[in-house]
Amino acid sequence: MLKIQNLKKYFGGVKAVDSCSFGIKENNITALIGPNGAGKSTVFNLISGIIKADSGKIVFNSKNIINKSPERISNLGISRLFQQTKLFNNLTIKDNLLLAIDNNDTKFWYSFFSLDNNENNIKIKNILELVGMEKFENKLARDLSYGQKRLIELARTILNPHTFLMLDEPVAGVNPKLRKIIINILKKLKQQGETILLIEHDMDFTLKVSDWVIVMDEGKVIAEDKPNKIKNNKKVLEAYLGE
Ligand code: ADP
Ligand code: MG
């Protein structure tokens, strides 16, 4: 579904991503892990078009999408959860989610009102049920806790029309109970046929949810394998110990 070939991005002398290559299979949950500064977030930013690559290829469904605009990449079906929450605090959860269904800037208010229809209301009900937040539909975003906001952000990422989900540290800073809830949500999404790439620092979480683990260090892929094998990989242990 997604193939990255010899991807390169230097920031001055820092080789953030350096001849990085890997592939993502459809209907798999793939985890991208590695010590701090390994280049994971830069890879995400390159895939979603937020920063421009120096060279390489990013092939999504047989199309090279490298250095296309974020809007274009999003329209091709890549939806991304950001590390920081970006909800509109003064809007209700429902309105925040309506905006995710179609955020056509040029017709913002027009589309906002026309979006509030039966079909979309059902979509929102279903997604809130999936993340266990159906009681919060009419609450303002600012009244939610950090963890609840993360769940709504996840709902919004899923609601955004897509065929491929990228999640940047979905459980960073959330409590163990919420972590379990998010594990179950990801498992359900996989059952529904979703393809997911996630960055995660929490090894335990990663090993529980992923089908395949890709390990980066110093801008390169140093290992990839099934989760139960990767945790004993010598190169991986060395990279983490050296952190
Ligand atoms: P990770 O997400 O694996 O922790 P990053 O992709 O954030 O790693 O960073 C990889 C390297 O690139 C780090 O050394 C980081 O300091 C550097 N880097 C990332 N973004 C920038 C930037 N915008 N400008 C300069 N250096 C950057
Ligand atoms: Mg990062």
Side-chain angles (χ1 to χ4, degrees):
M1 170 167 248
L2 181 84
K3 209 173 202 171
I4 288 182
Q5 286 172 333
N6 298 320
L7 191 61
K8 206 191 261 184
K9 177 70 187 180
Y10 293 178
F11 294 107
V14 179
K15 298 177 174 180
V17 176
D18 193 19
S19 287
C20 181
S21 304
F22 62 85
I24 304 291
K25 276 198 194 137
E26 205 165 330
N27 197 208
N28 260 9
I29 299 182
T30 307
L32 186 58
I33 68 168
N36 259 326
K40 308 179 296 290
S41 293
T42 306
V43 166
F44 259 39
N45 289 336
L46 291 167
I47 296 173
S48 45
I50 288 168
I51 57 173
K52 302 283 171 231
D54 296 337
S55 61
K57 269 188 184 174
I58 301 174
V59 180
F60 180 61
N61 291 331
S62 324
K63 192 179 271 174
N64 192 1
I65 59 162
I66 198 155
N67 295 345
K68 299 223 181 301
S69 73
E71 293 75 26
R72 175 106 181 83
I73 289 168
S74 163
N75 287 338
L76 286 170
I78 297 182
S79 184
R80 172 181 181 180
L81 171 77
F82 284 89
Q83 219 172 328
Q84 298 87 15
T85 52
K86 289 181 172 178
L87 294 177
F88 293 99
N89 266 323
N90 294 322
L91 292 184
T92 62
I93 298 311
K94 180 182 171 183
D95 288 348
N96 266 287
L97 293 176
L98 277 176
L99 288 175
I101 294 178
D102 180 1
N103 51 3
N104 189 342
D105 282 342
T106 53
K107 295 187 281 184
F108 184 84
W109 291 108
Y110 165 76
S111 65
F112 191 62
F113 289 114
S114 65
L115 278 168
D116 195 354
N117 58 44
N118 243 346
E119 189 195 343
N120 287 339
N121 284 331
I122 290 169
K123 273 191 202 165
I124 287 176
K125 282 233 151 56
N126 287 340
I127 205 79
L128 285 175
E129 239 172 72
L130 176 78
V131 300
M133 291 288 289
E134 58 272 34
K135 285 185 195 143
F136 293 81
E137 186 170 341
N138 297 311
K139 287 238 154 60
L140 292 177
R142 65 157 177 255
D143 294 332
L144 267 55
S145 71
Y146 173 78
Q148 291 167 334
K149 280 186 184 166
R150 283 309 270 172
L151 289 174
I152 298 302
E153 291 254 281
L154 186 59
R156 192 170 68 167
T157 310
I158 299 164
L159 211 47
N160 188 11
H162 69 276
T163 51
F164 179 52
L165 280 179
M166 300 207 301
L167 311 178
D168 203 341
E169 304 210 19
V171 297
V174 308
N175 64 45
K177 194 176 147 207
L178 198 60
R179 190 167 305 197
K180 270 195 194 141
I181 294 173
I182 294 179
I183 289 177
N184 286 329
I185 296 170
L186 295 188
K187 285 184 175 163
K188 269 191 215 153
L189 288 173
K190 190 190 156 166
Q191 278 170 12
Q192 294 173 5
E194 295 271 10
T195 308
I196 302 171
L197 174 63
L198 59 96
I199 293 181
E200 195 44 72
H201 209 73
D202 183 323
M203 195 61 135
D204 187 47
F205 173 85
T206 306
L207 299 179
K208 273 191 187 131
V209 294
S210 53
D211 300 298
W212 194 252
V213 183
I214 298 170
V215 190
M216 280 185 77
D217 190 24
E218 297 178 353
K220 289 182 164 57
V221 172
I222 58 162
E224 52 180 313
D225 214 328
K226 289 184 180 149
N228 57 350
K229 287 205 178 150
I230 207 80
K231 62 183 176 194
N232 299 319
N233 183 299
K234 214 176 129 210
K235 277 191 206 161
V236 177
L237 292 172
E238 278 170 12
Y240 271 88
L241 285 174
E243 195 178 355

